């Protein structure tokens, strides 16, 4: 009887140890897979972060376009030589303020809309001076938009404005009468930035210089979409042609839209 009892005990203990070993193996596999998943997610986030930093650097380089800087300094030099000291002083003051704003905003993910528009207007005014008032501009910020408490990623609007000036407005057959209209409005929880010009049509930009400058707007759009994915902004960029009452094309329109982000909102989304 004693021998029979021992066999029963061993038979009962075997499934327990088997269950214990299987549980241990399962836990080890689970935590190993979980650790690998966490590492892959961390590596993916690091890669995204590095890509965004790289895009910010390229965006800054595109905005600090050497042609723009060289031509601006040449214009200042021209005003000094022609004894237009007031114009030289005005140009130099605006140029230095723009450089300070560009450098100050370079390493920021978010800036106020007011700061972005300050830099944008300085840039447009410098281009107006440089190209002898070949175009006028108008900036309309509708009352529902609070410029101080609205946040946007820096280095987003200016590349599209630069492209509109250099490759549409200045390529018009007429050397006067260019128009650039910038309208910023808000509908519900979305911010809309609209650029409209009466330059040559988008389909007419076929030269190689357009390809060089297109890299600036490509960088701007890629940065916006990466920020949109990171902060769930649901950003979009649409390029359209504008038609008159007779359905004849009269210009170009670009609309950048994103979820409105205020300084008191959580950017984590």
């Amino acid at each position: 009887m004693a021998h029979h009892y021992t066999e029963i005990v061993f038979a009962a203990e075997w499934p327990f140890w088997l269950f214990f070993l299987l549980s241990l193996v399962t836990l080890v596999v689970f935590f190993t897979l979980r650790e690998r998943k966490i590492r892959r997610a961390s590596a993916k986030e690091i890669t995204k972060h590095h890509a965004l930093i790289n895009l910010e650097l390229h965006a800054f380089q595109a905005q600090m376009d050497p042609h723009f800087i060289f031509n601006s300094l040449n214009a200042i030099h021209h005003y000094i030589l022609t004894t237009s000291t007031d114009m030289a002083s005005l140009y130099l003051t605006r140029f230095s303020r723009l450089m300070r704003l560009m450098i100050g905003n370079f390493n920021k993910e978010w800036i106020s809309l007011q700061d972005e528009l300050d830099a944008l207007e300085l840039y447009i005014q410098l281009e107006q001076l440089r190209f002898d008032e070949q175009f006028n501009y108008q900036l309309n910020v509708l009352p529902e938009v609070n410029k101080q408490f609205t946040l946007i990623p820096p280095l987003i609007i200016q590349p599209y404005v630069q492209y509109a000036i250099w490759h549409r407005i200045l390529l018009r057959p007429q050397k006067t009468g260019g128009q650039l209209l910038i309208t910023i409005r808000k509908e519900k929880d979305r911010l809309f930035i609209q650029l409209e010009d009466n330059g040559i049509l988008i389909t007419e930009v076929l030269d190689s210089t357009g390809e060089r400058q297109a890299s600036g707007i490509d960088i701007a759009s890629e940065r916006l979409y990466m920020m949109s994915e990171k902060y769930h902004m649901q950003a979009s960029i649409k390029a359209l042609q504008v038609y008159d009452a007779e359905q004849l094309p009269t210009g170009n329109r670009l609309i950048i839209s994103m979820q409105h982000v205020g300084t008191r909102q959580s950017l984590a989304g």
Side-chain angles (χ1 to χ4, degrees):
M1 291 295 294
H3 177 71
H4 180 65
Y5 174 77
T6 303
E7 288 180 351
I8 293 173
V9 170
F10 286 155
E13 287 179 349
W14 170 248
F16 168 77
W17 286 106
L18 179 62
F19 175 76
F20 175 78
L21 288 172
L22 287 175
S23 300
L24 184 61
V25 170
T26 302
L27 287 172
V28 170
V29 170
F30 171 77
F31 283 109
T32 301
L33 293 176
R34 185 172 179 270
E35 183 182 3
R36 287 181 182 176
K37 184 177 180 181
I38 292 171
R39 285 180 179 178
R40 282 197 299 269
S42 298
K44 188 176 179 181
E45 285 301 315
I46 291 171
T47 301
K48 283 185 178 180
H49 183 64
H50 286 170
L52 187 57
I53 291 175
N54 190 46
L55 280 172
E56 286 173 352
L57 177 60
H58 282 86
F60 179 69
Q61 290 172 338
Q63 193 173 34
M64 299 283 284
D65 187 278
H67 295 276
F68 169 71
I69 294 174
F70 179 78
N71 291 332
S72 294
L73 293 175
N74 266 350
I76 295 170
H77 186 236
H78 167 74
Y79 288 133
I80 292 172
L81 291 180
T82 56
T83 67
S84 301
T85 52
D86 289 343
M87 289 296 290
S89 177
L90 175 64
Y91 209 126
L92 185 59
T93 300
R94 289 178 178 175
F95 181 77
S96 61
R97 284 181 59 204
L98 179 60
M99 293 299 104
R100 180 173 56 82
L101 286 172
M102 284 182 176
I103 294 170
N105 294 337
F106 163 56
N107 60 349
K108 298 177 182 177
E109 271 197 317
W110 300 91
I111 62 173
S112 71
L113 179 61
Q114 180 69 66
D115 287 344
E116 178 75 359
L117 295 182
D118 286 346
L120 184 64
E121 285 208 82
L122 283 170
Y123 167 75
I124 297 173
Q125 289 164 4
L126 286 171
E127 294 289 47
Q128 277 186 311
L129 287 171
R130 188 157 70 92
F131 292 109
D132 298 323
E133 307 290 340
Q134 289 187 35
F135 70 94
N136 294 314
Y137 82 96
Q138 187 175 351
L139 173 61
N140 294 328
V141 181
L142 299 191
E144 66 267 19
V145 180
N146 188 318
K147 293 184 288 185
Q148 294 289 350
F149 293 101
T150 296
L151 297 180
I152 65 170
L155 312 175
I156 293 296
I157 306 175
Q158 188 267 347
Y160 293 100
V161 170
Q162 181 172 320
Y163 188 88
I165 293 172
W166 287 14
H167 299 285
R168 293 208 286 267
I169 294 176
L170 295 178
L171 295 184
R172 299 169 71 247
Q174 311 88 345
K175 292 304 178 183
T176 58
Q179 297 290 335
L180 175 65
L181 174 62
I182 304 167
T183 305
I184 300 177
R185 57 189 172 85
K186 191 177 83 166
E187 291 182 10
K188 296 182 180 179
D189 63 342
R190 290 191 69 76
L191 184 72
F192 293 86
I193 301 165
Q194 179 174 296
L195 313 178
E196 194 168 315
D197 67 78
N198 65 343
I200 66 171
L201 302 182
I202 298 171
T203 53
E204 295 179 26
V205 182
L206 302 175
D207 60 0
S208 59
T209 57
E211 294 176 6
R212 180 183 64 81
Q213 186 57 26
S215 63
I217 59 178
D218 290 342
I219 292 169
S221 63
E222 192 171 350
R223 282 191 67 251
L224 181 61
Y225 286 132
M226 285 193 70
M227 291 286 287
S228 177
E229 182 181 355
K230 182 176 180 180
Y231 291 107
H232 313 291
M233 295 160 53
Q234 301 174 352
S236 70
I237 304 170
K238 295 180 181 178
L240 310 166
Q241 288 186 348
V242 181
Y243 297 88
D244 60 16
E246 285 74 33
Q247 293 303 306
L248 295 174
T250 59
N252 309 281
R253 179 181 296 151
L254 180 88
I255 302 174
I256 304 170
S257 70
M258 66 191 81
Q259 185 175 353
H260 177 264
V261 176
T263 55
R264 295 173 183 171
Q265 291 178 235
S266 169
L267 296 178

